[in-house]
Amino acid sequence: MTKAGMAATGAMFSPAVVKAITLNKKKKKLVLVGTGARGHGFWGKKLVDRYADYVEFAGICDINPGRVKFAKDFMGVSCPTFTSFDEMLEKTDPDLAIVCTVDSTHDEFVIKSLEYGIDVITEKPMVTDEHKCQAIIDAERKSGKKVIVGFNYRWAPYMTKIKELLVNNTIGEVTSVDFHWYLNTYHGASYFRRWHGMTKNSGSLWVHKSTHHFDLVNWWLNSEPEEVMAYGSLEYYGKNGKFRGKKCRDCDHKSECMFFYDILKDEAYTKMYVDNEKYDGYIRDNCLFREEIDIYDKMSAQVKYANNVTLNYSLTTYSPFEGWRIAFNGKDGRIEAWDDIPYYSEMEVDQAELHAAEMDQSDIEKKEHKPIIVHRIREDYERIIVASSKGGHGGGDLRMQNKIFMDPNAPDPYGHAAGTRDGAMSCLIGVAARKSIEEKKAIRIEDLSEYKPQAIKS
Ligand SMILES: NC(=O)c1ccc[n+]([C@@H]2O[C@H](COP(=O)([O-])OP(=O)(O)OC[C@H]3O[C@@H](n4cnc5c(N)ncnc54)[C@H](O)[C@@H]3O)[C@@H](O)[C@H]2O)c1
């Protein structure tokens, strides 16, 4: 039954029941599918703790009955749990669905929610291939409902400052971008332990991880990608290991493997994953040298935008540190920004700047102060200090959820809120990069869906 069908049956209730329903309706009724790490925490407990005046959970669902039970306890909610999304929609009559499952399944739940007649929030990446992308575009149009894509990084103050500098034309017309992202041998390696290691689940890191980065560039440039040429290989993890075992816990190579990970020392992960392996065989401490791994661990792409900007992008998954750096080259100068590059630490704020930034009380989260360099041609460079937030994706998580749940109609001057078109354009760069490697040629974005890239995004 659809949401409209549910409303029709509501007409049969007694006045007292209708009144109770109406009162209850003041809070949005949420359903969540996918109660793993991101689901039960960020889209679960955080909403219970922060937005209880605005939303309430009507149901939570996971294919794994043990994990959904774990999530219910962790979130401290009394709503029913489900292992079938369809049954959850039927029984709970929600207003909004949140999708936080394995990447390759997002389209199924997004489309079912739209067809049921409700808006839906999906975690990134919106989709893992171009066919699923077009199916969501079609379903959204048909339903008249809305897809919200959880692009949290956009909302971080540091990322927003870069946007502001570009919107204000600080370095004139931007002509090219250098963007390099480094994952270390903890975070980077973690993708190879799990479902992410297979393209059929994650679309590869070109989609799973880089969707964040491509979305940022699309948003910063306010333009859309036209063509992608890429290279990539698997040279470190997967088949490249000198030895391999079934899973870390009972591996014969514990003492010689620098990636040995004792999941049993992590109580939360043991409860969430290990204790529930019996239901679905999801092994969280899998060997990252498994032969079945087919994603790339070294990725490099050139993207030409419809406004003629060229992006040089790379993603490394076995860096000694975790961080990123970007440079925008414009006709009047250059902007440089970065995060967590250890060798740049001496460039970070002096004490006077630190004090000034600390006087800025606009943000009650735990602050850090990060520089952005603006270097105009034939001028000295300027260091702009941004009062940023530690954790929660640089403060992006909190700001995105405030907008979605507390004040959806709040002004959005920098266009932070992301929808289907944004979700599509970022995923399609990754899909095109994959195809470019396979087919050894440049791939045009316009060939992947009905969306024609716009030089200036409308
Ligand atoms: N925006 C961010 O910064 C961010 C951070 C982390 C994860 N994520 C996204 O969140 C999603 C979940 O990631 P995670 O780290 O929580 O993974 P996870 O493996 O911990 O959780 C995934 C959950 O989905 C469930 N699931 C899988 N298929 C299902 C199905 N068909 N029906 C119902 N449940 C199903 C699994 O049982 C599991 O509990 C991913 O799409 C990931 O890209 C986003």
Side-chain angles (χ1 to χ4, degrees):
M1 192 184 292
T2 63
K3 176 94 178 151
M6 283 285 191
T9 56
M12 296 182 298
F13 293 147
S14 73
V17 173
V18 171
K19 190 174 170 209
I21 291 172
T22 313
L23 278 176
N24 218 19
K25 281 280 174 198
K26 283 182 192 152
K27 286 189 193 183
K28 261 196 180 139
K29 282 169 70 180
L30 305 181
V31 288
L32 167 68
V33 60
T35 60
R38 185 77 173 161
H40 79 263
F42 180 68
W43 293 109
K45 181 90 166 80
K46 283 270 191 291
L47 302 198
V48 173
D49 291 348
R50 285 191 196 137
Y51 306 103
D53 291 343
Y54 304 90
V55 295
E56 67 188 352
F57 280 95
I60 59 174
C61 171
D62 197 287
I63 205 166
N64 185 311
R67 198 145 41 244
V68 75
K69 166 81 175 64
F70 164 84
K72 179 174 175 167
D73 295 344
F74 183 89
M75 289 163 59
V77 288
S78 56
C79 66
T81 61
F82 300 87
T83 52
S84 153
F85 186 69
D86 294 343
E87 190 189 347
M88 178 164 75
L89 288 182
E90 287 295 329
K91 293 205 169 144
T92 62
D93 185 24
D95 302 308
L96 180 66
I98 303 173
V99 178
C100 202
T101 51
V102 166
D103 300 350
S104 57
T105 64
H106 290 176
D107 61 309
E108 176 189 341
F109 303 114
V110 167
I111 291 172
K112 281 182 172 168
S113 304
L114 293 170
E115 286 174 347
Y116 181 73
I118 54 174
D119 292 342
V120 53
I121 301 169
T122 179
E123 255 305 348
K124 49 59 51 175
M126 185 176 85
V127 286
T128 48
D129 70 36
E130 68 276 31
H131 309 292
K132 293 173 177 185
C133 182
Q134 185 60 51
I136 289 185
I137 296 170
D138 292 339
E140 186 181 51
R141 186 174 33 233
K142 202 167 157 200
S143 71
K145 293 294 165 183
K146 192 172 63 174
V147 179
I148 298 167
V149 183
F151 281 133
N152 41 353
Y153 270 118
R154 286 177 173 210
W155 292 86
Y158 190 74
M159 307 307 198
T160 303
K161 187 69 191 180
I162 296 172
K163 174 80 176 172
E164 185 190 313
L165 290 167
L166 292 169
V167 166
N168 292 339
N169 210 29
T170 312
I171 54 164
E173 182 190 336
V174 175
T175 56
S176 67
V177 180
D178 317 323
F179 194 8
H180 304 287
W181 200 284
Y182 314 103
L183 298 169
N184 65 20
T185 50
Y186 298 94
H187 187 196
S190 78
Y191 295 116
F192 295 82
R193 294 186 195 281
R194 301 183 275 162
W195 50 264
H196 310 65
M198 272 83 73
T199 303
K200 69 176 174 20
N201 298 327
S202 63
S204 79
L205 294 180
W206 275 121
V207 175
H208 174 82
K209 193 71 196 166
S210 304
T211 186
H212 267 313
H213 314 151
F214 295 139
D215 175 65
L216 282 169
V217 179
N218 296 351
W219 176 63
W220 279 323
L221 296 177
N222 197 35
S223 186
E224 292 182 338
E226 207 170 58
E227 195 170 273
V228 180
M229 184 76 210
Y231 297 92
S233 41
L234 176 63
E235 296 175 347
Y236 192 82
Y237 302 108
K239 61 182 185 322
N240 299 289
K242 291 192 184 64
F243 44 75
R244 53 192 49 77
K246 275 203 165 149
K247 53 180 181 290
C248 280
R249 250 168 298 162
D250 44 27
C251 183
D252 294 337
H253 304 281
K254 277 181 191 167
S255 55
E256 56 189 314
C257 183
M258 82 169 193
F259 292 101
F260 170 66
Y261 160 54
D262 191 352
I263 194 170
L264 299 175
K265 284 198 173 135
D266 185 329
E267 199 188 328
Y269 270 31
T270 300
K271 282 190 182 155
M272 192 186 350
Y273 297 111
V274 178
D275 292 353
N276 298 310
E277 281 169 7
K278 55 184 177 281
Y279 299 109
D280 60 2
Y282 179 172
I283 309 291
R284 180 63 183 77
D285 60 338
N286 245 326
C287 180
L288 39 72
F289 296 128
R290 295 186 322 287
E291 300 274 3
E292 65 177 352
I293 290 171
D294 68 354
I295 61 169
Y296 304 105
D297 56 19
K298 180 182 85 174
M299 287 149 276
S300 166
Q302 287 196 315
V303 183
K304 182 183 167 297
Y305 278 77
N307 66 356
N308 218 33
V309 170
T310 48
L311 163 68
N312 284 290
Y313 169 83
S314 74
L315 176 62
T316 305
T317 56
Y318 39 89
S319 161
F321 65 87
E322 175 107 353
W324 56 269
R325 59 191 163 90
I326 194 163
F328 296 86
N329 300 297
K331 287 192 172 166
D332 297 333
R334 177 177 164 95
I335 292 173
E336 290 214 20
W338 64 90
D339 194 24
D340 287 339
I341 308 278
Y343 328 111
Y344 290 5
S345 56
E346 64 266 30
M347 291 182 68
E348 300 203 343
V349 287
D350 69 22
Q351 290 311 302
E353 288 167 329
L354 188 64
H355 179 70
E358 255 154 15
M359 290 297 102
D360 170 13
Q361 293 297 316
S362 58
D363 177 0
I364 52 160
E365 299 161 278
K366 193 161 170 38
K367 288 218 188 99
E368 61 179 358
H369 305 94
K370 302 200 305 186
I372 296 174
I373 303 293
V374 174
H375 196 165
R376 289 176 54 82
I377 292 171
R378 301 198 179 194
E379 289 179 20
D380 202 358
Y381 69 84
E382 186 189 350
R383 208 155 41 135
I384 293 169
I385 303 302
V386 185
S388 194
S389 306
K390 279 189 196 292
H393 295 90
D397 283 349
L398 176 70
R399 286 163 180 77
M400 180 180 73
Q401 286 191 334
N402 283 349
K403 162 82 172 155
I404 295 174
F405 298 112
M406 288 171 74
D407 201 357
N409 298 318
D412 185 11
Y414 289 119
H416 282 102
T420 300
R421 189 157 183 127
D422 309 280
M425 283 299 173
S426 62
C427 291
L428 291 179
I429 301 178
V431 170
R434 240 170 42 207
K435 283 182 180 291
S436 172
I437 296 169
E438 285 157 17
E439 298 175 24
K440 296 188 171 49
K441 63 175 195 188
I443 301 294
R444 292 189 67 75
I445 296 292
E446 67 178 6
D447 295 338
L448 301 178
S449 81
E450 71 176 47
Y451 286 153
K452 300 300 159 223
Q454 300 174 335
I456 301 173
K457 187 176 176 270
S458 56

